């Protein structure tokens, strides 16, 4: 009887490298898909929160004879918006108590957090005590409303609106603008006051 000799054949180095390359491309494609889904999820969350803030600001305006607070669209404007909508003028994190009566907030879904990373978690619109630059007293720790990326939402008085002192705003809308600067956190780089401006990645109330 004639025996047939079998030889074991393994993978060559080139074949192994090709296989590794294919797996790497598949992994990269999956990573891009997951990242894109996460970005869209955060943008959708920001759009929902901006709509809630806008509705609350309209209610505030109705109750205050059509008068809105003045905001420039900078980080401090987030604190101005928070104090108006939460009825927390003294900034202690609780609605003010006037003559034994607690003022009801216009936006009752605020959730005070301690870390920007918590902005994506939990219920309600997160509020963070952050060190921000103010127009009058330099840097101070104030409560600001933060977007899903952990940065302050911006508020700007509209171009057809006046505050209680008769100061006219510079917003895009006639009444007010509320916006997040999006995932990149950047304003319009062509503007001298870039942090106050809109760019293509912003999530706006328009």
């Amino acid at each position: 009887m004639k025996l047939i000799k079998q030889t074991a054949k393994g993978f060559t180095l080139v074949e192994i490298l090709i296989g590794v390359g294919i797996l790497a491309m598949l992994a990269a494609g999956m990573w891009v898909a997951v990242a894109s889904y996460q970005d869209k999820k955060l943008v959708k969350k920001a759009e929902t929160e901006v709509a809630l803030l806008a509705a609350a600001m309209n209610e505030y305006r109705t109750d205050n004879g059509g008068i809105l607070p003045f905001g420039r669209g900078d980080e401090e404007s987030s604190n101005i918006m928070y104090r108006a909508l939460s009825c927390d003028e003294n900034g202690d994190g609780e609605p003010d108590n006037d003559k034994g009566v607690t003022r009801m907030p216009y936006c009752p879904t605020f959730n005070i957090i301690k870390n920007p990373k918590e902005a994506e978690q939990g219920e309600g619109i997160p509020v963070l005590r952050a060190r921000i630059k103010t127009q009058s007293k330099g840097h101070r720790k104030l409560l600001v409303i933060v977007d899903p990326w952990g940065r302050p939402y911006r508020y700007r008085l509209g171009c057809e609106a006046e505050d209680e002192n008769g100061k006219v705003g510079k917003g895009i809308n006639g009444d007010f603008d509320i916006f997040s600067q999006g995932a990149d956190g950047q304003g319009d780089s062509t503007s001298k006051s870039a942090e106050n401006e809109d760019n293509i990645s912003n999530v706006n109330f328009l």
Side-chain angles (χ1 to χ4, degrees), residues 45-58 178 204-205:
K45 187 174 188 292
E47 289 174 344
T48 300
E49 290 176 349
V50 166
L52 289 172
L53 292 171
M57 189 60 78
N58 278 319
I178 296 175
N204 303 291
F205 166 68

Side-chain angles (χ1 to χ4, degrees), residues 67-159:
I67 299 297
L68 289 163
F70 187 82
R72 296 179 175 84
D74 52 9
E75 284 189 328
E76 185 181 9
S77 69
S78 189
N79 174 256
I80 293 168
M81 180 167 58
Y82 162 76
R83 286 189 286 113
L85 299 185
S86 65
C87 296
D88 176 22
E89 193 59 38
N90 60 16
D92 65 355
E94 297 289 339
D96 297 336
N97 189 288
D98 298 333
K99 297 179 181 179
V101 179
T102 300
R103 298 176 63 196
M104 295 303 294
Y106 293 96
C107 191
T109 61
F110 288 141
N111 175 32
I112 297 180
I113 61 176
K114 295 182 178 179
N115 191 307
K117 293 181 180 179
E118 299 175 37
E120 295 180 44
Q121 305 168 4
E123 297 295 326
I125 303 176
V127 174
L128 174 71
R129 193 176 295 279
R131 186 173 175 81
I132 62 173
K133 185 178 180 181
T134 65
Q135 291 288 322
S136 58
K137 297 183 179 180
H139 285 83
R140 299 170 60 199
K141 268 203 163 184
L142 298 171
L143 289 169
V144 293
I145 309 169
V146 292
D147 64 20
W149 298 276
R151 288 184 288 267
Y153 279 111
R154 310 299 180 99
Y155 162 74
R156 187 167 47 206
L157 187 63
C159 58

Side-chain angles (χ1 to χ4, degrees), residues 15-74:
E15 290 172 332
I16 292 173
L17 291 174
I18 291 173
V20 169
I22 291 171
L23 289 174
M25 287 192 299
L26 289 173
M30 288 182 64
W31 175 259
V32 170
V34 169
S36 176
Y37 170 77
Q38 183 68 7
D39 286 344
K40 289 178 181 178
K41 182 180 175 183
L42 294 179
V43 168
K44 188 66 178 176
K45 187 174 188 292
E47 289 174 344
T48 300
E49 290 176 349
V50 166
L52 289 172
L53 292 171
M57 189 60 78
N58 278 319
E59 188 177 348
Y60 173 94
R61 178 175 56 179
T62 299
D63 284 355
N64 288 273
I67 299 297
L68 289 163
F70 187 82
R72 296 179 175 84
D74 52 9

